[in-house]
Amino acid sequence: MSLEFVEHPATGEHKATVIWLHGLGDSGDGFLPVASQLSLPAELGVKFVFPHAPVQPVTINGGMTMRSWYDIKSMDLDKRADEAGVRESAAKVEQLIEQELNDGINANKIILAGFSQGGVISLHLAPRLPQKLAGVMALSTYMCVPEKFTAEAKQTNLNVFMAHGRHDDVVPHSAGRSAFDVLSAHNMDVSWQDYPMAHQVCGEELMAIRQWLIARLS
């Protein structure tokens, strides 16, 4: 079943697309206001797509059902991302990318972004795609099966924007740095930003995201 989503249309002609994945228990509506806040130049023609994760039981939350890109069985970082669930959601997000390609948007005008759980999917999928995207935005996140990255990644020199809170008590700052190290070792064009915040997005970070998006999509 394909993912449902909300979108923020491009101003004028549609020339580029940002697909932005939310975190655990949120929905596409959670990040929808960010599209307006970024106020990207109209001439870039950027459409934002905010998919909703499937509703499923989450083990660490007592099996309660909520929007989740994959099950979380343990808070231990090496076991936190359910690999089968990550791959399943990544395949669904890939369908959204294929839809943009079919609509005439070039891969070099598509950004895949994600916060926390959504960032795990973004970091997993983009390097494994046959087409090289304009970039990946990985916010307050970590990596699923880093030990399989070298064998499975099809892209090198992919541009990755990473940002993390120095006081993140949900996804440790060190987990983000570990993902950064894996990407760097694979010759990705990866940048790192951190901020004096918890597991969230701050205004200074949004300004950096805005500048990065303009640079990648101009």
Side-chain angles (χ1 to χ4, degrees), residues 10-16 39-47 210 214:
T11 308
E13 185 191 350
H14 175 208
K15 300 175 188 171
S39 61
L40 296 176
E43 62 269 18
L44 293 182
V46 182
K47 176 180 84 174
R210 181 178 189 272
I214 291 170

Side-chain angles (χ1 to χ4, degrees), residues 12-213:
E13 185 191 350
H14 175 208
K15 300 175 188 171
T17 302
V18 176
I19 298 172
W20 194 315
L21 312 180
H22 63 77
L24 177 66
D26 198 1
S27 72
D29 297 293
F31 276 106
L32 183 60
V34 168
S36 302
Q37 289 164 14
L38 289 170
S39 61
L40 296 176
E43 62 269 18
L44 293 182
V46 182
K47 176 180 84 174
F48 285 83
V49 176
F50 299 95
H52 305 304
V55 174
Q56 58 182 313
V58 176
T59 303
I60 57 152
N61 289 343
M64 194 189 302
T65 58
M66 60 189 67
R67 292 201 179 276
S68 180
W69 293 109
Y70 50 86
D71 190 18
I72 300 177
K73 297 184 172 77
S74 161
M75 287 307 281
D76 295 345
L77 272 160
D78 59 338
K79 304 185 195 78
R80 190 180 293 192
D82 171 52
E83 183 183 347
V86 168
R87 292 184 187 276
E88 197 175 320
S89 282
K92 290 177 178 173
V93 174
E94 186 173 2
Q95 290 175 356
L96 294 178
I97 293 170
E98 284 169 358
Q99 185 59 57
E100 295 303 309
L101 295 169
N102 292 340
D103 289 347
I105 303 300
N106 287 330
N108 66 2
K109 293 291 184 183
I110 298 173
I111 298 273
L112 186 56
F115 174 81
S116 196
Q117 257 205 351
V120 172
I121 303 300
S122 299
L123 279 183
H124 184 86
L125 175 59
R128 290 168 169 83
L129 288 171
Q131 316 89 349
K132 186 174 177 180
L133 301 183
V136 182
M137 191 199 308
L139 312 178
S140 305
T141 194
Y142 58 103
M143 189 178 278
C144 176
V145 292
E147 67 279 4
K148 297 184 181 180
F149 189 84
T150 301
E152 295 183 358
K154 295 176 181 170
Q155 303 297 334
T156 53
N157 205 33
L158 180 64
N159 193 289
V160 184
F161 175 101
M162 295 193 74
H164 216 106
R166 291 196 284 274
H167 313 301
D168 194 326
D169 56 351
V170 177
V171 178
H173 183 269
S174 59
R177 285 298 302 186
S178 294
F180 171 85
D181 291 341
V182 172
L183 293 164
S184 299
H186 199 76
N187 297 323
M188 297 297 175
D189 181 11
V190 56
S191 65
W192 176 266
Q193 292 72 215
D194 55 21
Y195 302 93
M197 63 179 183
H199 194 62
Q200 63 196 103
V201 174
C202 67
E204 189 184 349
E205 181 182 6
L206 282 178
M207 292 309 298
I209 287 169
R210 181 178 189 272
Q211 290 171 337
W212 179 78
L213 286 172

